[in-house]
Amino acid sequence: MIEVKDLLARLGTLKQLRQPWEPLWKDITNYVLPRRSFWDLEGKDGKKPETKTYDGAPLAALQLLVDGLQGYLVSPKIRWYRLVMEDAKQQDLPGVADWLEEVDDILYAEFARSNFYEAIGEFFLDAASIGTAAMFVEDDVDKRRVNFSSRHMKECYIAEGRNGLVDVMYREFIMSNRVAYQTFTDKLCQQRLDQAKQDPFGKATIIHACFPRTDFDAEKVDNGNMPVASVYVDKDHNHKIDEGGFEIFPYLVWRWRKNSDEIYGRSPAADAINDILRLNQMGKTMLMAGQLAVQPPLNVPNAQRGLTKIIPRGENYYTNPTELITPINLGQNYPIGIDQETALREQIGEIFRTKIFLLMEQLERGPYTATEIRERQGEKAAVLGPTIGRLNSETLVPLLDRVYRICERNGLIPEPPMALASGGRVRVEMQGPLAQSQKQYHEIQGVNAALQYVAGMAQMFPSSLDNVDEDELMRRGLDSQGAPQRVIRELPQVMEIRRRKAEAAAAAQKQALQLEREKIMGSNAEQLNVPLRQDSMLAAAAAASAQGG
C-alpha cells in the first residue's frame, strides 16, 4: 500500500517532467483553441478567453480535422469496427462469426446509450491541438452504463511503461464538497465531511493516481489485488480517501505523434505553431491596414484646426478654397498582404490535412468514375496511416477491451460457441469510411488486379484456373469491401449448399434421362427389354447417372 507522502512525491516528480511542455501548450490553446486556454485548476467557468486572435483559420482547420476524424472513424451512424478472430481459420468455424457479430451489437448498444460520442469529440480536439488527450472510462453502476470523461491536460500527468504505452496517470483536479461527499460518502475525513455540510459548494482538491501494482495476489478478485492500483487522495487534508484497482488501465491516452525520447505527444497545431503566430500577427497588421485604407489619416490646414467634421454629411466651411483636407498617402500595398495571408492559411491547412476531408471540392475536372474517386480518397487516407495506427493502438483497441470487460462483468456477453472451447484471440478491425478507404486502397487493388490477371490467363490457358481458390478469392473480396459477417456464409454452409445443388442436379438429370427413354422406347420399354446401343448418347448419359447416384 502506497503512503500519501510517497504519492505526493511522485506527483511532484511528474509535474517537473511535464513543465517544459506547458509554454507550448499555452501558445497552442491561446491561438488555436481559446476555449481550452485556462490552465489553472479552478478554470474560468463561462469567462471569455483573454487571448487576442486575429485570424480564425487555424481554429477552422483544427475543427475540420476533428470533425472529419470523428465522422470518418467513429461516427454513431456507422458500424465503425468489428471483432474478428486473430486466427483466420477459427473465423470460419461454426457459430464463431455469428457470436462475434452478436458481441459487436452489444458493444454498439453500450456506446449508443452512453456519452461516448460526445466525449470522443473533445478527446480528438485535445489530441489534434495539444498533442496528448486523456479519457477516463468507468462503469457507472447507478446509471447502469459505461461513462466516458475527457480530461483537460492541465490536470493530467503521465508516464510510460516499457512497451511505450502510458500506464501511469496522476490527476489533480477540483470538485465541490458536495460532489466529493456524493462520490466518496463516509470515506472522507471528518474535516471534509464538516465542510460538505457547512460549505457544500466550496472546492476540494482531489488526486487520482493509477499505476501498475508490483505486489498483488492474482488469485484474489478484490480491488486491493487488481493489476492496476487506483488511489484517491484529498490533497487539502493529506488524507487517503480510497484505494482500489482495475483489471486494466482505465485511462485512454492518445499521443497524436510522439518522438521516441519524449512522453507527451506533438500535434498538427504544434507543427504549425510558428506559422500560426505569423498568421495571427499578419492578421493584426492587415486589420490595421484595412482600417487605414477605409479611414486614412488626414492632412488638415492649420487654419481649420478644431473646425473640421470628418463624419458622414459633416459640413466644413472655409474661406480659402486652396486649403483642402487631403488623405495621407501611406504607400501600403493591401493586396500583397492578402496574398501572404492566403498562402499561410493554405500552408496551415496542409499541416492539418484538411484536404483529406474536402476531396470533392478539389476535383477540378470531371466527371469522375466511382473507382477514380475511391482511389483518390484512398491515396489521401493513406497519408493518415501512422496517425490512425497510433490512435488504434493507444485508444480504440484499449477502449473496446475496457468496454468488453465491463459488459462481461455485468453479464451482458453471451457464452462463446463450442468451436472456441479451446480458446482463441480476438482482434479489432476498424470499419469506418477512412479505415475502409485505406483498406480498399491497399487490399481491393490486389483483388481486382488478381481477377484481371486470372481472366486473361484463363482465356489462353483454361487449366490455369486450377491454381485459384475461388472461395478464398471471393471471401477476401467481400471482406475488403466491409461486408457484414452475417452476409458471408460459413464454409460448412457453403459445402452443404453445394452438396444439395449437386444432388438436385443429379436427380434432374436422372429424371430427364428416364423421360428420354420413355419417349424413345415407349411406355413398354422395360417389358420389351430392348437394350440400348452402348455407343449411343443415351447409354452414356445413363451410365453417368448411375455412377453419380
Side-chain angles (χ1 to χ4, degrees):
M1 295 179 64
I2 186 171
E3 299 294 332
V4 173
K5 63 177 182 179
D6 296 329
L7 188 144
L8 293 176
R10 295 181 186 180
L11 176 59
T13 301
L14 292 175
K15 284 184 176 182
Q16 291 178 358
L17 293 174
R18 200 195 76 172
Q19 190 174 8
W21 291 88
E22 295 173 5
L24 172 62
W25 294 349
K26 289 178 181 178
D27 277 347
I28 290 172
T29 53
N30 282 342
Y31 295 101
V32 184
L33 192 58
R35 67 182 178 86
R36 293 289 252 179
S37 62
F38 303 113
W39 285 88
D40 56 313
L41 285 182
E42 292 191 11
K44 298 289 186 291
D45 194 13
K47 185 178 179 181
K48 180 181 176 181
E50 297 178 356
T51 58
K52 295 181 179 180
T53 55
Y54 294 95
D55 196 298
L59 175 56
L62 170 65
Q63 196 63 57
L64 177 58
L65 174 59
V66 169
D67 292 344
L69 283 177
Q70 186 168 1
Y72 277 78
L73 287 176
V74 291
S75 170
K77 303 298 183 183
I78 61 175
R79 304 279 290 190
W80 49 272
Y81 77 91
R82 68 172 180 172
L83 301 179
V84 297
M85 298 304 299
E86 196 171 87
D87 185 348
K89 295 179 181 179
Q90 288 185 312
Q91 185 75 20
D92 295 327
L93 295 176
V96 172
D98 289 341
W99 176 74
L100 289 171
E101 198 146 22
E102 184 179 358
V103 174
D104 283 343
D105 292 339
I106 293 170
L107 299 186
Y108 274 118
E110 285 299 313
F111 286 123
R113 61 194 296 267
S114 73
N115 64 331
F116 170 73
Y117 294 105
E118 292 83 4
I120 196 67
E122 203 74 9
F123 184 80
F124 282 168
L125 202 64
D126 283 344
S129 57
I130 299 171
T132 305
M135 179 185 290
F136 186 41
V137 184
E138 60 182 333
D139 186 4
D140 191 334
V141 179
D142 295 334
K143 295 183 179 180
R144 300 180 61 83
R145 69 172 194 177
V146 184
N147 186 61
F148 301 88
S149 175
S150 290
R151 312 308 310 178
H152 195 301
M153 283 309 298
K154 67 183 179 183
E155 64 184 43
C156 299
Y157 305 87
I158 61 175
E160 289 181 337
R162 65 178 182 178
N163 59 0
L165 299 177
V166 173
D167 63 352
V168 172
M169 167 70 79
Y170 278 62
R171 274 179 55 218
E172 183 178 351
F173 58 98
I174 301 292
M175 64 168 53
S176 67
N177 290 325
R178 67 186 295 268
V179 172
Y181 179 75
Q182 292 171 352
T183 305
F184 303 110
T185 59
D186 57 351
K187 294 180 181 179
L188 297 172
C189 64
Q190 188 59 49
Q191 298 98 311
R192 185 64 66 190
L193 290 173
D194 294 339
Q195 289 172 332
K197 293 179 181 179
Q198 300 167 6
D199 185 15
F201 301 108
K203 303 298 183 181
T205 304
I206 305 297
I207 295 171
H208 183 211
C210 281
F211 49 88
R213 272 199 175 97
T214 56
D215 54 337
F216 65 95
D217 188 345
E219 296 182 358
K220 295 182 179 180
V221 294
D222 58 287
N223 287 340
N225 282 284
M226 292 292 182
V228 179
S230 172
V231 183
Y232 283 94
V233 171
D234 185 336
K235 184 180 178 182
D236 301 325
H237 300 295
N238 286 337
H239 170 71
K240 184 192 293 187
I241 301 173
D242 187 31
E243 181 171 352
F246 296 95
E247 291 180 281
I248 60 175
F249 196 60
Y251 285 94
L252 306 174
V253 181
W254 175 30
R255 283 79 57 86
W256 182 278
R257 185 186 300 109
K258 192 183 78 69
N259 291 335
S260 59
D261 58 344
E262 295 176 339
I263 298 174
Y264 293 91
R266 294 186 179 271
S267 66
D271 295 339
I273 189 61
N274 290 332
D275 290 333
I276 291 170
L277 293 175
R278 285 170 56 203
L279 180 63
N280 193 69
Q281 184 60 43
M282 192 174 294
K284 181 179 180 181
T285 302
M286 291 298 293
L287 181 65
M288 295 173 61
Q291 187 174 3
L292 286 171
V294 177
Q295 296 179 318
L298 303 174
N299 289 316
V300 182
N302 192 54
Q304 296 189 37
R305 181 187 296 271
L307 302 176
T308 57
K309 294 182 179 180
I310 314 300
I311 59 175
R313 299 182 63 85
E315 296 178 346
N316 294 278
Y317 302 95
Y318 59 89
T319 57
N320 186 349
T322 62
E323 294 183 338
L324 299 178
I325 299 174
T326 59
I328 298 175
N329 185 2
L330 299 175
Q332 60 187 357
N333 196 325
Y334 192 67
I336 291 180
I338 294 177
D339 292 343
Q340 290 178 335
E341 276 191 315
T342 301
L344 266 179
R345 291 192 186 105
E346 291 180 354
Q347 186 168 320
I348 292 170
E350 287 288 344
I351 294 174
F352 278 94
R353 308 293 189 190
T354 56
K355 289 185 177 181
I356 291 177
F357 306 107
L358 297 174
L359 176 64
M360 299 309 293
E361 289 187 8
Q362 302 164 52
L363 300 181
E364 298 175 356
R365 64 172 181 86
Y368 288 90
T369 65
T371 302
E372 287 177 311
I373 293 176
R374 183 167 58 246
E375 288 183 354
R376 282 171 171 260
Q377 187 69 17
E379 289 176 354
K380 293 184 176 297
V383 174
L384 281 176
T387 299
I388 295 176
R390 182 172 284 277
L391 170 65
N392 290 343
S393 63
E394 292 192 341
T395 301
L396 298 182
V397 173
L399 163 72
L400 291 165
D401 188 9
R402 175 88 173 118
V403 174
Y404 177 91
R405 289 171 184 261
I406 291 174
C407 291
E408 184 179 43
R409 188 168 61 247
N410 293 336
L412 300 177
I413 303 298
E415 289 293 327
M418 290 299 298
L420 295 179
S422 59
R425 294 176 63 87
V426 176
R427 66 180 175 87
V428 178
E429 194 171 88
M430 307 314 297
Q431 294 289 297
L434 195 59
Q436 281 299 309
S437 293
Q438 290 180 313
K439 187 175 183 180
Q440 290 172 8
Y441 179 68
H442 293 293
E443 293 189 18
I444 198 61
Q445 283 187 339
V447 175
N448 288 336
L451 287 173
Q452 293 177 5
Y453 177 76
V454 168
M457 292 294 292
Q459 291 180 357
M460 296 185 294
F461 309 106
S463 61
S464 64
L465 288 175
D466 296 339
N467 292 282
V468 180
D469 186 339
E470 63 272 16
D471 287 334
E472 184 63 22
L473 186 61
M474 172 63 78
R475 299 174 84 84
R476 286 293 298 273
L478 290 172
D479 183 69
S480 65
Q481 294 288 355
Q485 291 292 324
R486 291 192 177 100
V487 171
I488 305 175
R489 289 194 174 103
E490 296 175 349
L491 284 176
Q493 292 177 305
V494 175
M495 296 298 104
E496 177 63 19
I497 290 171
R498 288 176 178 169
R499 186 187 66 79
R500 292 178 182 177
K501 285 182 177 180
E503 289 178 352
Q509 186 181 25
K510 189 172 183 180
Q511 184 179 9
L513 179 61
Q514 182 63 30
L515 291 174
E516 187 66 21
R517 286 172 60 96
E518 291 177 358
K519 180 178 179 181
I520 295 175
M521 307 302 298
S523 59
N524 295 323
E526 291 185 4
Q527 296 177 6
L528 294 174
N529 195 23
V530 178
L532 295 174
R533 288 175 53 192
Q534 295 302 313
D535 59 347
S536 69
M537 294 177 62
L538 190 60
S545 176
Q547 292 177 2

